Amino acid sequence: MLENLFASRIDTKSQSRLVGLFPDNNFTDTISFGGGCPDEQLFPAKELTAAYQDAICRQMNHSFQYHDIKGPERLREYLAARAHDKMGIDHVTADDVMLTAGGQQGIELVAKLFIGKGDAMAVEAPSYIGALAAFDAYEPRYYQVGMESDGANLDQFEAILKEHPEIKLFYTVPDFHNPTGITMSLKKRERLVELANKYDFVILEDTPYRDLRYHGQSLPSIKSLDTEGRVIFLSSFSKILTPAFRLGWLVASPEIKEQLTSLKLAEDLEVPYIPSATVDSYIANNDLDQHIEKLKDLYRAKLDAMYRDLKRNLPAGTKLSHPEGGFFFWIELNPEIDTTSMLWEQSVPDQHLIYVPSENFYPNRDIKNGMRVNFTGSTIEQISDGCRRLRTVIDGAEISLPELSVAI
């Protein structure tokens, strides 16, 4: 059998966390709280079309040629300035910025650089599905750090580090965490850097939602607090401009960036020129921050609407996060409810409602009673209707339990 020739790390009996994540359905009235999708009505389509044409016309035939691994210098200079002005990262130049094929490639490259079979790494629990899928391919030994209302439980993490000082990498989404929506406090950001210095590990700070704060005050990036070059800062244009161009970017110490660049060369040889040149042209001829403010105004209304509707519809005792930005809410139901079964057996066929169940957000896929719901991809009316449908689904699941547990 050909599968006998596959690399030993390929588990043919276990599908990627990303396979089959969103159910197929043929219902015309389906409401999806599933994917982390921007509102496509907010894409600056006219401006992006003009930028696309400009990107090609500036170099004509040469725009279709091979280019280099660095990408447009003007774009990297802009991102270096943005890293300083918006993220508080000092001493950043264009040469410190690396362009990637979306934030996802940045995660995969970091995994490839630091993780080998059996190597120890730590992740927040729950954690972003796409990151776990990338890490899974390199067969790490996971250690889970639980979430509190102000970010990862660092007392628990330090206890783990004392017992397992071989941990090499910690993955975090500190701003409007995917999937919980929680933001890590400044105190915890500072302590996390201290732990990295003390226990000799690297922090991957994945922050594609950082610009999308709807309430409260912005906090310094973890990278801005970095004193030993241990923090890799990763962001993306997918949530603030368009996911279609698959353009992300990272800032890392020269030692780390050099190795990541070598790995990227082996993967795809170069930064795709036309998408990166299009974003470069868009930024040169438009106000990206003004566009982000428009997104924030509309997403703020959606976040507030979903919070009100969830509070109104969720059963007493349900745990609900209260994010100040980003794309997601996190819900924890009665511990005996399996939200994966509930999705496939009740929510999709009966209520035509999609959400993401909790099990794939955990390395061991062992927490079954949670769900992530997205508000940015739905209208206010769909949010209201979807929350009512969700209550119907949950009520049905609770009725089917042999005996209700004590409220969470």
Side-chain angles (χ1 to χ4, degrees), residues 87-380:
M87 289 72 177
I89 305 171
D90 291 330
H91 312 299
V92 183
T93 70
D95 287 338
D96 298 314
V97 175
M98 177 178 173
L99 299 179
T100 61
Q104 187 68 21
Q105 187 186 42
I107 297 169
E108 195 275 338
L109 289 171
V110 171
K112 185 179 290 186
L113 179 60
F114 287 99
I115 302 300
K117 183 175 182 178
D119 284 345
M121 69 170 295
V123 297
E124 293 160 327
S127 198
Y128 167 49
I129 290 176
L132 293 177
F135 298 137
D136 285 348
Y138 297 96
E139 304 176 275
R141 180 160 37 97
Y142 286 112
Y143 292 94
Q144 300 184 104
V145 181
M147 293 293 288
E148 298 178 308
S149 61
D150 62 343
N153 183 339
L154 297 188
D155 289 336
Q156 179 191 27
F157 187 27
E158 184 160 23
I160 293 171
L161 288 165
K162 288 177 179 178
E163 189 172 351
H164 301 282
E166 70 275 16
I167 287 174
K168 301 169 67 175
L169 178 67
F170 178 64
Y171 173 74
T172 178
V173 182
D175 299 297
F176 320 120
H177 179 256
N178 183 355
T180 68
I182 291 169
T183 294
M184 184 182 290
S185 67
L186 175 57
K187 183 178 179 180
K188 285 193 172 181
R189 292 168 193 244
E190 293 170 337
R191 186 180 175 195
L192 182 58
V193 171
E194 292 171 359
L195 291 175
N197 294 344
K198 181 178 179 180
Y199 291 97
D200 189 25
F201 62 88
V202 169
I203 300 166
L204 175 53
E205 177 184 14
D206 184 12
T207 180
Y209 308 98
R210 179 178 173 83
D211 288 309
L212 298 176
R213 173 176 282 279
Y214 319 129
H215 300 288
Q217 298 298 314
S218 182
L219 297 176
S221 65
I222 299 173
K223 180 63 178 173
S224 72
L225 307 171
D226 188 10
T227 57
E228 297 185 3
R230 295 182 175 275
V231 182
I232 302 167
F233 178 91
L234 177 64
S235 192
S236 170
F237 286 100
S238 292
K239 308 304 183 185
I240 61 172
L241 191 57
T242 170
F245 290 151
R246 308 307 305 134
L247 189 63
W249 59 286
L250 62 81
V251 176
S253 67
E255 179 183 8
I256 291 175
K257 179 177 174 288
E258 180 182 0
Q259 296 304 317
L260 292 173
T261 301
S262 295
L263 292 173
K264 180 172 170 56
L265 273 167
E267 283 195 4
D268 56 13
L269 298 179
E270 63 174 291
V271 173
Y273 175 77
I274 292 178
S276 59
T278 300
V279 173
D280 174 46
S281 176
Y282 173 86
I283 289 171
N285 294 288
N286 299 274
D287 188 334
L288 177 61
D289 287 319
Q290 185 179 60
H291 171 68
I292 291 172
E293 287 302 316
K294 179 181 177 181
L295 298 182
K296 288 164 63 174
D297 287 343
L298 294 168
Y299 288 159
R300 182 185 298 113
K302 293 186 179 189
L303 179 145
D304 293 345
M306 178 168 272
Y307 185 68
R308 288 192 303 268
D309 286 325
L310 287 173
K311 290 287 286 184
R312 184 182 301 121
N313 285 284
L314 291 175
T318 301
K319 284 186 177 180
L320 173 66
S321 65
H322 192 183
E324 295 181 320
F327 272 33
F328 307 113
F329 286 88
W330 182 250
I331 299 168
E332 292 182 18
L333 303 174
N334 185 295
E336 295 181 23
I337 290 178
D338 182 334
T339 58
T340 300
S341 297
M342 189 174 78
L343 174 69
W344 292 99
E345 296 172 9
Q346 296 166 277
S347 190
V348 172
D350 297 339
Q351 293 298 321
H352 309 169
L353 177 69
I354 298 172
Y355 58 81
V356 185
S358 61
E359 65 175 303
N360 281 332
F361 292 103
Y362 292 86
N364 297 329
R365 311 187 195 210
D366 55 347
I367 305 299
K368 307 284 190 179
N369 67 311
M371 68 174 71
R372 188 192 76 181
V373 292
N374 164 264
F375 58 88
T376 55
S378 301
T379 65
I380 298 290

Side-chain angles (χ1 to χ4, degrees), residues 62-78:
H62 186 62
S63 64
F64 299 101
Q65 183 58 276
Y66 284 113
H67 291 266
D68 62 35
I69 193 69
K70 292 182 179 181
E73 183 174 7
R74 183 174 63 175
L75 177 59
R76 290 184 290 112
E77 288 174 347
Y78 170 85

